[in-house]
Each structure stands twice: as C-alpha cells, then as structure tokens.
C-alpha cells in the first residue's frame, strides 16, 4: 500500500504517533487510507450539504474495509461572484484546487481517492487532480438543486438574472422580483439547469469516473446518499484492482464525453475544461488539430436531444426522471455515437447503457426525433477570432443563427452592463466586451449579467454579444465567448471600433468583422495594450502563466 510510507516500520514511529493523535488505532493503520476530497463550505449552495455526502461515502469505505480520511478544498459560488470583481476569482480557482489536492495527497500518502465536488470550477479542478495524480479514484457529486416554482412555473437562477433586466425596462415590478427571489433557489444543490456544474457532473459519468446518477440525482434525495455509500465501496474496489484514472481517461472517453455534451447542450465552459483535463492526463486529443475543431466534428454528427434550462424550461430533475445520463447514452448508442467498450470505474460504459430507458421522450427526445441534427455547442472562426470562439448554439434563437449588426464596443463587463440597463443597446447591435480574457481579465469572467439582462428586456433574439471572456452555462442567446486571441494579446477583438459591422454565421461556423486586411493591419500598428488591471497577488501571477482559452486556459 502507498500509505505504508507514512505508517510502517521503525522510522515511521513518529508518524504513527501523529496518526494516534488523530484517534487512529492499530487496526486502522493496517488498512488502506482512502482520501475523501470534499468541497464543503457555508457559502456555496451546492456545497452546504457535502458533509452529508462525505459521511455517506466514508460509511461505504468502512463497509468495504478501508479507512476514510477527509480533507477540504476551496470553491467559489459563481452566482454570488457574478457581475463584480469577484468573478475574476472563479476560473482561476481551478488550478488552485488541482494544485492543493496534489499537495495534500502527495504529502500524506493516500492509497486511493474519493472526490466530492459539485459546482463550477470544483468539478474540473478535481478531475484535473485525479488525472495528474493517477491514483485509484472515484467521483460522487453533491447533486443538482430542485427547480424553484412560482405560479406553477419552474424557476432557475437564470430566471433571477433575467428578471433584473425585466425590472430595468419596466416589464416587472420590484415587488414581483422580491417574490421570485424567495422562490428561485429552494435549497441545497448545484443550480438546477444545464449550467456548468451540472454539465461537468454529467460529463464525469461519460468519462467513466463516476457511477450512473452522479450528474442528475437531486441533492435532496436519499438516492444521492445511497449513491455516495456505493461510491465509498467502489473506492476499495478500484484500489484492489488498481484501476487508475489515466487508464480510463483515454481518447475514447473524451469522445464519449463530447458526444454527451452535444446531446445535452452543455455549458460552453466544457470547451475550457475538457482539454485541460486531457492535458493533465498527459495527452492531446488527436482526432483533430485543435480542440475547437474536434468540438465541431463531434457536433456535426451528434444530435441535440435536450432543451434543459437555459435553452428550455426543463430542469436537471426532469432529466433524472427521464432516465438520466444513462438514458442519453443509450440514445446515442443506438447510432454508435459513443463507444460503450470504454473502461469505467465500475466496468465499462455498456454497463451504464444496459437496462437504461428513456422514460420521457418530451424531456429527452429519441435520437430519431432530435431538436436538431447537430450538437449543442459550436466553435466559430474568422478574422475576428482566428483561433476560434465558442457558442451554445442550442440556446440561440433561430433568428440569431445568422446575424449582422453594428459593434458597440466596451473595454470590460461593467460599462457594457451599465449601457444595457440604461437602455442604450438597441435591436441590431452587437455588444463587444473585451479585455476580459484569461490574461486581460485577468481570470476570464462570466458574462451572465449582461446576457440575462438582454434576455429580460426581450432583446436576446435581436442583439448579439461577443467577448474574449466566457459565459455561464445559464446564458442563452447569441452569446459568443472565448474569442481567441484575446484583446490583451492583441487579438483582432482589440482592434474593433464603435460602428464596425460584424457578421455572425453559426451554421457556417464563421465570425467576421467587415474590414479589409489593410485596415486591420493599420489598426494593429496603432494598437497599444491597456495597462494590467491587477498588479499583485494571485491574479497577477495567474495572468503571467495562463494560456489562451482556445487551449483550455491551462498554465504554461
């Protein structure tokens, strides 16, 4: 056992004395130490209950003959961080989480690991750590929040951000807003739509590192506790069989994950996280010359089967009732769009598909009757984004799939949001928010507040938004993010001027500003970068190390 290096032999008597200070007995020191990496905190609704999940997982470990040892990691609530300087501190925690787990695991000699994430950057950060450490590992998330209800209609966090825009144009009173505020988020769990947290927890099933149900069983259900106990038992099984993440995280697994992503219409943030996880697993996805190109190849052959919020009104609990991720995988398997021979922590993906049934063809459309023949995400390229950008096409109104409009240019999110709320953005505009990329932000803020305000004003089918930042999974509309190269690196988005004409063609995968090469060259010669927004602390170090969004914003 790896843990013997901290607990066996005469030289480890001092170490054993410290274990005994923790209450360990000799019988426990003879058994495998299973680290339980848990993101519990009292500031994130998706994490407030993770102590209960960790206890259930620990119970499973003890039932199987192991010794559970719990330790924490940080986690930012993207919803609370949204719309102010706090959002700069969201994506950047992904690397902090990965690094801190590495430190804890390498220092203390764990034999195997159980990862308990739930929200946005915590899931990919833990997946990256699992890939990097390559110790026997299993995942169990905290599960999604139930949807809120008001007058019989479902509410999600998106509803609240859109309501702010509705109040701004007089479509809703502040009293109605206050009523929604009480109902939208009814309890613990990751926010109830197909936002980033739930996207990544579902993707973890397709990658093969979690049991079926990980992505969709609601946080408040006893079924979630039972899943955690089974995961604890499974941790001893993968330890005994020496099944390691890099044996599972193969190209086959990532192709399965991308196919699921396209069928579900996941968050655009998966385009950042999947290449970063592959990077930690030690390989580059080889099916295409770049990850955005691979995304388009998978999207071209994978139909979109779900319209979960924000693309539609269904919540994650509805997908769970329809059969969950396993049912989606079963639909994809009908047309050989996934490889069911892929290894998982419990066997192979065929074990998840076997016996799965689509119990609600309205929520989860059969593959013979998809919402669209292509997937939920698309990467665009053109003279405005030579290294690509990304859009959640399943959440774009049909009228906006092809759109031309006038650039309204803002050097940051806050002035753009102020202009939207002041009524200065009109139908036919293309809002450009720049200097919010990984380096320029720094931290690549999500732009849910501006896009939701536009939706609440009824402009999401009349106005496009382009940014070198990124979008929440809760965003809908022609919201195009990850524009690369970013403005801080002198990308063409930095050269745009008020009144430039921008052409977006999502079906053709193109995005261009209608300027000649000569004019772009002239502007580039005159361009001067803005001074850094942050000159000290972690954000300043992050800005120096982070790479382009087109490569997953991994560190150099």
């Amino acid at each position: 056992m790896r843990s013997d290096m901290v607990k066996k032999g005469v030289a480890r008597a001092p170490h054993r004395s410290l274990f005994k200070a923790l209450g360990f007995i000799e019988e426990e020191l003879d058994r495998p130490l299973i680290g339980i990496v848990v993101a519990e905190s009292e500031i994130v609704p998706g994490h407030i209950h993770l102590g209960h999940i960790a206890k259930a997982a620990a119970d499973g470990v003890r039932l199987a003959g192991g010794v559970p040892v719990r330790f924490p990691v940080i986690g930012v609530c993207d919803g609370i961080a949204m719309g102010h300087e706090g959002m700069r501190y969201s994506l950047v925690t992904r690397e902090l989480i990965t690094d801190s787990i590495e430190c804890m695991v390498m220092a203390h000699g764990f034999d195997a690991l159980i990862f308990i994430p739930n929200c946005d950057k915590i899931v990919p950060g833990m997946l990256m750590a699992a890939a990097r450490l390559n110790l026997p590992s299993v995942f169990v998330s905290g599960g999604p929040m139930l949807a809120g209800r008001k007058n019989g209609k479902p509410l999600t966090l998106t509803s609240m951000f859109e309501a702010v825009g509705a109040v701004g144009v007089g479509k809703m009173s502040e009293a109605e807003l206050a009523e929604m505020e009480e109902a939208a988020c009814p309890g613990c769990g990751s926010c109830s739509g197909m936002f980033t947290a739930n996207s990544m927890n579902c993707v973890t099933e397709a990658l093969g590192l979690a049991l079926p149900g990980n992505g969709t069983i609601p946080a408040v259900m006893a079924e979630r506790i039972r899943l955690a106990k089974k995961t604890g038992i499974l941790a001893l099984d993968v330890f005994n069989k020496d099944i390691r993440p890099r044996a599972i995280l193969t190209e086959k697994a990532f192709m399965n994950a991308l196919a699921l992503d396209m069928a579900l219409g996941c968050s655009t943030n998966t385009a950042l996280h999947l290449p970063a996880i592959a990077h930690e697993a030690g390989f580059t996805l080889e099916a295409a010359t770049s990850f955005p190109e691979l995304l388009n190849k998978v999207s071209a052959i994978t139909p979109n089967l779900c319209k979960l919020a924000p693309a539609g009104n269904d919540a994650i609990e509805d997908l769970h009732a329809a059969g969950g991720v396993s049912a989606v995988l079963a639909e994809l398997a009908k047309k050989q769009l996934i490889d069911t021979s892929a290894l998982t922590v419990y066997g192979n993906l065929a074990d998840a598909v076997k016996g799965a049934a689509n119990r609600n063809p309205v929520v989860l459309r059969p593959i013979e009757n998809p919402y669209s023949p292509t997937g939920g995400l698309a990467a665009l390229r053109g003279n405005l984004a030579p290294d690509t950008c990304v859009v959640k096409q399943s959440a774009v109104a049909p009228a906006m799939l092809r759109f031309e409009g006038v650039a309204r240019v803002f050097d940051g999110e806050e002035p753009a949001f102020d202009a939207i709320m002041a009524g200065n953005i009109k139908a036919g505009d293309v809002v450009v928010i720049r200097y919010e990329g990984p380096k320029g932000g720094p931290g690549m803020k999500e732009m849910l507040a501006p896009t939701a305000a536009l939706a609440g004003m009824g402009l999401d089918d009349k106005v496009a938004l382009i940014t070198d930042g990124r979008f929440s999974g809760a965003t809908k509309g022609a919201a195009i993010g990850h524009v690369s190269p970013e403005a801080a690196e002198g990308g063409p988005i930095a050269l745009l001027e008020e009144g430039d004409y921008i052409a977006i063609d999502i079906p053709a995968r193109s995005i261009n500003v209608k300027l000649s090469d000569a004019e772009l060259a002239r502007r580039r010669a005159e361009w001067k970068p803005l001074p850094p927004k942050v000159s000290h602390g972690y954000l300043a170090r992050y800005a120096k190390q982070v790479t382009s969004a087109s490569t997953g914003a991994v560190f150099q």
Side-chain angles (χ1 to χ4, degrees):
M1 289 186 291
R2 181 173 181 272
S3 60
D4 286 350
M5 69 182 182
V6 297
K7 64 187 186 182
K8 293 294 183 182
V10 173
R12 296 298 181 256
H15 305 64
R16 289 192 297 275
S17 70
L18 292 169
F19 276 106
K20 289 176 180 179
L22 294 168
F24 280 67
I25 60 176
E26 291 292 341
E27 288 82 354
E28 289 176 305
L29 295 177
D30 288 334
R31 298 181 181 185
L33 296 184
I34 311 300
I36 298 181
V37 190
V38 59
E40 181 186 13
S41 76
E42 294 184 347
I43 191 59
V44 186
H47 293 187
I48 187 73
H49 65 304
L50 292 189
H52 299 295
I53 306 298
K55 180 184 180 303
D59 289 344
V61 169
R62 289 200 182 277
L63 282 169
V67 179
V69 184
R70 173 174 156 177
F71 65 89
V73 296
I74 64 169
V76 166
C77 176
D78 278 23
I80 294 174
M82 196 72 66
H84 56 89
E85 66 177 0
M87 183 41 69
R88 292 179 183 157
Y89 288 88
S90 171
L91 179 61
V92 304
T93 63
R94 189 184 69 179
E95 273 62 30
L96 279 177
I97 289 164
T98 305
D99 291 348
S100 65
I101 293 169
E102 177 190 357
C103 292
M104 289 295 289
V105 171
M106 297 306 293
H108 297 109
F110 295 108
D111 294 301
L113 300 167
I114 298 172
F115 291 91
I116 305 179
N118 215 26
C119 290
D120 297 81
K121 308 310 157 301
I122 298 85
V123 188
M126 288 189 179
L127 285 166
M128 290 163 66
R132 180 187 296 179
L133 292 163
N134 201 33
L135 292 172
S137 299
V138 290
F139 279 68
V140 59
S141 76
M145 185 185 294
L146 295 176
R149 299 280 166 182
K150 183 175 182 289
N151 299 326
K153 295 181 179 179
L155 297 175
T156 69
L157 185 65
T158 303
S159 310
M160 290 307 306
F161 278 97
E162 291 179 1
V164 172
V167 171
V169 294
K171 288 186 174 183
M172 180 183 291
S173 69
E174 290 192 27
E176 290 174 303
L177 180 69
E179 287 181 15
M180 285 182 63
E181 185 180 315
E182 295 290 332
C185 298
C188 66
S190 48
C191 295
S192 58
M194 188 48 77
F195 311 150
T196 305
N198 294 323
S199 295
M200 290 305 302
N201 283 323
C202 289
V203 160
T204 303
E205 287 190 47
L207 286 173
L209 287 173
L211 285 166
N214 178 70
T216 60
I217 298 171
V220 296
M221 291 179 68
E223 187 181 357
R224 174 64 55 180
I225 297 296
R226 296 197 297 271
L227 184 74
K229 289 180 181 178
K230 290 177 182 177
T231 301
I233 294 170
L234 183 61
L236 267 293
D237 189 55
V238 297
F239 166 71
N240 290 326
K241 293 177 179 175
D242 197 29
I243 300 172
R244 297 177 181 247
R246 290 193 185 186
I248 294 172
L249 295 174
T250 62
E251 181 132 349
K252 191 184 297 185
F254 281 95
M255 295 301 286
N256 286 339
L258 272 173
L260 177 75
D261 188 330
M262 296 303 163
L264 288 176
C266 289
S267 165
T268 51
N269 282 313
T270 59
L272 282 176
H273 301 322
L274 284 173
I277 297 162
H279 175 76
E280 291 293 349
F283 70 92
T284 301
L285 295 168
E286 296 175 355
T289 57
S290 68
F291 187 82
E293 180 189 339
L294 177 59
L295 186 151
N296 279 344
K297 283 188 174 182
V298 177
S299 180
I301 61 171
T302 310
N304 179 219
L305 304 180
C306 295
K307 287 284 188 183
L308 303 172
N313 293 321
D314 296 323
I316 300 297
E317 66 197 77
D318 300 311
L319 177 61
H320 180 62
V325 168
S326 293
V328 183
L329 294 173
E331 291 291 349
L332 294 172
K334 289 179 184 177
K335 294 197 174 181
Q336 293 79 49
L337 293 172
I338 59 167
D339 189 333
T340 58
S341 71
L343 181 67
T344 70
V345 288
Y346 53 85
N348 57 42
L349 210 60
D351 295 316
V353 171
K354 183 172 54 182
N358 185 346
R359 297 192 289 266
N360 189 336
V362 176
V363 171
L364 169 57
R365 284 198 175 184
I367 201 161
E368 299 83 5
N369 180 35
Y371 281 102
S372 71
T374 57
L377 301 185
L380 315 182
R381 193 188 297 269
N383 69 354
L384 185 50
D387 293 341
T388 70
C389 51
V390 181
V391 62
K392 187 171 183 172
Q393 63 180 351
S394 60
V396 177
M400 296 296 291
L401 291 171
R402 291 184 173 89
F403 181 75
E404 296 188 4
V406 177
R408 304 295 309 280
V409 182
F410 302 91
D411 290 340
E413 178 192 14
E414 289 80 4
F417 182 73
D418 290 344
I420 292 168
M421 293 303 291
N424 295 332
I425 303 301
K426 307 297 183 185
D429 286 345
V430 179
V431 177
V432 177
I433 302 178
R434 62 190 180 188
Y435 293 99
E436 291 289 10
K439 289 182 180 294
M444 205 177 181
K445 288 161 68 177
E446 287 185 344
M447 306 293 161
L448 176 58
T451 57
L454 288 169
M457 293 173 173
L459 291 173
D460 58 304
D461 61 350
K462 302 175 184 68
V463 171
L465 195 151
I466 298 171
T467 181
D468 53 6
R470 59 196 178 93
F471 293 109
S472 164
T475 290
K476 68 178 181 180
I480 299 166
H482 306 196
V483 171
S484 302
E486 62 175 291
E489 292 191 314
I493 192 172
L495 311 179
L496 294 179
E497 295 177 0
E498 193 86 1
D500 285 343
Y501 213 66
I502 293 173
I504 300 163
D505 191 332
I506 294 173
R509 306 296 191 248
S510 70
I511 182 167
N512 291 284
V513 56
K514 293 193 171 182
L515 296 172
S516 67
D517 292 344
E519 175 60 15
L520 285 170
R522 183 192 69 77
R523 293 186 187 184
R524 182 174 301 284
E526 296 177 356
W527 174 75
K528 293 181 181 179
L530 296 181
K533 296 176 186 174
V534 180
S535 59
H536 66 283
Y538 178 59
L539 286 181
R541 297 199 302 276
Y542 181 88
K544 291 177 182 177
Q545 290 183 271
V546 72
T547 60
S548 170
S550 64
T551 58
V554 298
F555 276 1
Q556 294 176 359

